[in-house]
């Protein structure tokens, strides 16, 4: 079976077509600048194709990507009917979705109903679902939620210590994100360690532009650093992560800003970018540190300190730890950050092998042999996880 995975943003649509017989990627690509001037990057193992087709909306982007998949020169299928199912990344499933689901009208309405929790993400996700329905009305579609994996968190982890009415009336609680990635790397970790996932205590660190740590006990998320929105937790590329909430009215008054403007700044002008003044990309930050930039050094120190702090907290929450997992852009590539984080964890028996830590590109342990707490680097693959879930649901 061939499965098309769709990740739809407000002006972009990422796709991947997988052959589930061997889980190989037949083609992948990105339609971006939807509603602006339209740009397509389409890749197959044989090469890359780029174009600037007209893409006024997501339905048009959908036909552009189907044309690319079917094209006589750079296509990979002969007929649309070869696509057996479509798996969609949906950001917020609220408390309604605890696992992936086959999409029907009721599910669509439920995704819409929780959209106020993710106003920037769920509406474009729904647009993607509707565009697929328009072009392939008979192909089953599955929704895979970033939040679903974390629905196993106990109340003590997901409740904010607010007036309980805030939870009762408005569902204000911690949901967590990056669930598809945390779930994928935890399964890979069990394989790498040669132990059943059902017996492991893991701290999974998804460190990309957005970043979160997840405590995974016996295969289930028991806590995670992101909350009601992806703003909570670690200091990120441009997001502040945890701050004293009283800072918000303080900035509003001092800078003459509205609450929405301050929250926008916390999302887009804070974190590594705000602290360093250099940027949000860790390669630029490391280069700045090499030239003696003190603010960039502080930014990276804040980042590593907070990651280590969450790992320590989760080791306590789970009453033990078998492995730390590093994944996503920074986790997979930045050996300096991994080393910095692991320095804080020596007390729990972590030591990393400098030679292993300098390698990249494959799932591996970077610990010294025999260490009690293993440190693993595992490339994430959210698209594969979405495709696997989609296949599982169809077979069921
Ligand atoms: P997202 O999917 O959240 O956009 P990614 O997981 O792709 O993010 O991570 C992107 C980030 O990874 C970049 O902003 C950069 O900071 C970091 N990154 C990517 N490659 C490297 C590298 N070789 N060394 C250090 N950091 C890297």
């Amino acid at each position: 079976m061939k499965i098309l995975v769709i990740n739809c943003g407000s002006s972009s649509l990422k796709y991947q077509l997988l052959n589930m017989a061997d889980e190989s990627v037949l083609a992948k690509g990105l339609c971006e600048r939807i509603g602006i001037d339209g740009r397509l990057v389409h890749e197959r193992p044989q090469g890359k194709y780029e174009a600037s087709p007209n893409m006024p909306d997501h339905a048009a982007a959908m036909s552009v990507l189907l044309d690319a998949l079917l094209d006589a020169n750079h296509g990979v299928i002969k007929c649309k009917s070869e696509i057996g199912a479509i798996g969609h990344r949906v950001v917020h499933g609220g408390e309604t979705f605890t696992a992936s689901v086959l999409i029907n009208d009721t599910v669509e309405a439920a995704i819409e109903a929780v959209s106020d929790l993710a106003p920037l993400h769920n509406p474009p996700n729904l647009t993607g679902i509707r565009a697929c329905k328009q072009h392939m009305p008979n192909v089953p579609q599955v929704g895979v939620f970033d939040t679903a994996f974390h629905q196993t968190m106990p109340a003590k982890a997901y409740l904010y210590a607010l007036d309980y009415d805030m939870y009762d009336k408005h569902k204000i609680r911690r949901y967590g994100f990056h669930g598809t990635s945390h779930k994928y790397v935890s399964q890979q970790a069990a394989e790498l360690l040669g132990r059943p996932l059902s017996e492991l205590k893991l701290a999974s660190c998804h460190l990309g532009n957005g970043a979160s740590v997840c405590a995974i006990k016996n295969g289930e998320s028991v806590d995670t650093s992101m909350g009601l929105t992806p703003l909570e937790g670690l200091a990120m590329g441009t997001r502040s992560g945890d701050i004293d909430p009283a800072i918000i009215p303080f900035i509003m008054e001092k800078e003459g800003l509205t609450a929405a403007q301050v929250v926008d700044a916390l999302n887009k002008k804070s974190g590594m970018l705000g602290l360093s003044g250099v940027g949000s990309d860790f390669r630029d930050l490391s280069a700045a540190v090499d030239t003696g930039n003190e603010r960039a050094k502080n930014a990276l120190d804040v980042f590593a300190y907070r990651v280590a702090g969450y790992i320590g907290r989760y080791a306590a929450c789970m009453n033990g730890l078998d492995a730390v997992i590093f994944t996503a852009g920074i986790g997979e590539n930045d050996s300096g950050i991994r080393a910095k984080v692991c320095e804080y964890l020596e007390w729990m028996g972590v030591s990393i092998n400098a030679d292993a830590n300098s390698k990249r590109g494959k799932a591996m342990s970077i610990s010294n042999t025999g260490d009690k707490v293993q440190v693993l680097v595992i490339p994430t693959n959210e698209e594969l996880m979405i495709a696997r879930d989609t296949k599982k649901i169809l077979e069921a």
Side-chain angles (χ1 to χ4, degrees):
M1 180 197 290
K2 289 176 186 133
I3 292 181
L4 180 63
V5 174
I6 298 283
N7 180 356
C8 211
S10 58
S11 67
S12 70
L13 192 164
K14 280 191 207 150
Y15 62 92
Q16 226 177 73
L17 184 69
L18 292 104
N19 179 357
M20 296 313 284
D22 58 1
E23 296 190 333
S24 61
V25 177
L26 297 170
K28 62 180 180 179
L30 169 68
C31 297
E32 57 181 348
R33 300 180 63 83
I34 300 171
I36 310 168
D37 49 4
R39 211 177 104 77
L40 167 76
V41 183
H42 174 77
E43 289 178 65
R44 300 177 302 160
Q46 301 89 326
K48 198 191 255 188
Y49 168 77
E50 293 181 58
S52 303
N54 190 26
M55 267 186 236
D57 54 29
H58 288 79
M62 203 56 221
S63 53
V64 165
L65 91 79
L66 284 173
D67 286 348
L69 292 174
L70 288 159
D71 190 87
N73 295 316
H74 49 260
V76 288
I77 51 173
K78 293 208 161 49
C79 176
K80 258 197 316 201
S81 63
E82 287 181 47
I83 300 172
I86 303 169
H88 289 270
R89 176 194 182 208
V90 182
V91 168
H92 219 304
E95 289 186 325
T96 315
F97 298 105
T98 56
S100 303
V101 284
L102 190 65
I103 297 173
N104 55 25
D105 291 347
T106 318
V107 168
E108 252 185 73
I111 295 172
E112 191 142 34
V114 295
S115 281
D116 61 339
L117 294 170
L120 298 179
H121 294 102
N122 275 29
N125 297 158
L126 269 173
T127 307
I129 291 168
R130 287 168 184 154
C132 286
K133 237 163 100 173
Q134 196 176 322
H135 286 276
M136 292 173 277
N138 300 318
V139 179
Q141 300 195 53
V142 169
V144 180
F145 301 86
D146 273 22
T147 50
F149 182 59
H150 303 298
Q151 280 297 305
T152 45
M153 280 195 289
K156 64 187 174 189
Y158 73 68
L159 284 179
Y160 289 113
L162 297 171
D163 179 342
Y164 197 79
D165 269 1
M166 296 300 110
Y167 171 58
D168 245 5
K169 279 180 15 198
H170 308 299
K171 292 288 164 229
I172 296 175
R173 50 158 283 179
R174 310 187 57 259
Y175 290 95
F177 298 87
H178 294 140
T180 309
S181 173
H182 289 305
K183 184 175 167 186
Y184 176 78
V185 296
S186 65
Q187 292 174 354
Q188 296 296 109
E191 264 182 44
L192 199 60
L193 295 169
R195 293 176 58 188
L197 186 55
S198 57
E199 287 173 12
L200 290 172
K201 294 171 180 174
L202 304 167
S204 165
C205 308
H206 177 110
L207 310 179
N209 261 323
S212 68
V213 185
C214 180
I216 302 169
K217 190 175 178 184
N218 309 335
E220 291 187 341
S221 168
V222 291
D223 205 346
T224 190
S225 58
M226 283 178 167
L228 174 76
T229 76
L231 186 53
E232 191 179 339
L234 301 176
M236 310 177 211
T238 62
R239 294 187 195 131
S240 64
D242 299 330
I243 59 161
D244 178 344
I247 291 172
I248 296 174
F250 196 82
I251 297 179
M252 286 167 67
E253 197 183 317
K254 296 280 179 199
E255 297 281 325
L257 298 174
T258 63
Q261 285 170 322
V262 177
V263 172
D264 194 56
L266 293 179
N267 271 302
K268 297 182 186 154
K269 292 185 194 150
S270 305
M272 301 300 101
L273 170 67
L275 279 173
S276 69
V278 170
S280 60
D281 192 303
F282 277 56
R283 288 161 288 198
D284 300 337
L285 292 165
S286 295
V289 172
D290 290 343
T291 66
N293 186 315
E294 199 56 31
R295 276 178 57 183
K297 182 184 174 300
N298 282 343
L300 293 182
D301 285 348
V302 167
F303 183 85
Y305 180 70
R306 218 177 273 193
V307 174
Y310 267 101
I311 296 171
R313 169 169 162 176
Y314 291 158
C317 294
M318 294 188 286
N319 215 335
L321 190 64
D322 295 299
V324 174
I325 306 167
F326 286 104
T327 192
I330 300 152
E332 290 167 33
N333 295 301
D334 197 326
S335 55
I337 285 291
R338 292 195 298 254
K340 240 180 194 325
V341 170
C342 289
E343 268 177 33
Y344 291 101
L345 310 176
E346 284 169 10
W347 62 274
M348 57 166 84
V350 163
S351 69
I352 58 172
N353 180 304
D355 185 40
N357 191 32
S358 68
K359 302 202 168 79
R360 56 163 109 140
K362 66 178 179 89
M364 61 186 167
S365 166
I366 57 168
S367 289
N368 284 310
T369 332
D371 281 356
K372 188 171 166 289
V373 180
Q374 288 286 304
V375 181
L376 312 175
V377 177
I378 301 182
T380 193
N381 195 338
E382 287 161 285
E383 290 79 10
L384 178 57
M385 194 75 236
I386 292 173
R388 281 182 183 167
D389 263 21
T390 302
K391 181 169 178 258
K392 213 186 296 169
I393 285 192
L394 290 194
E395 286 172 351

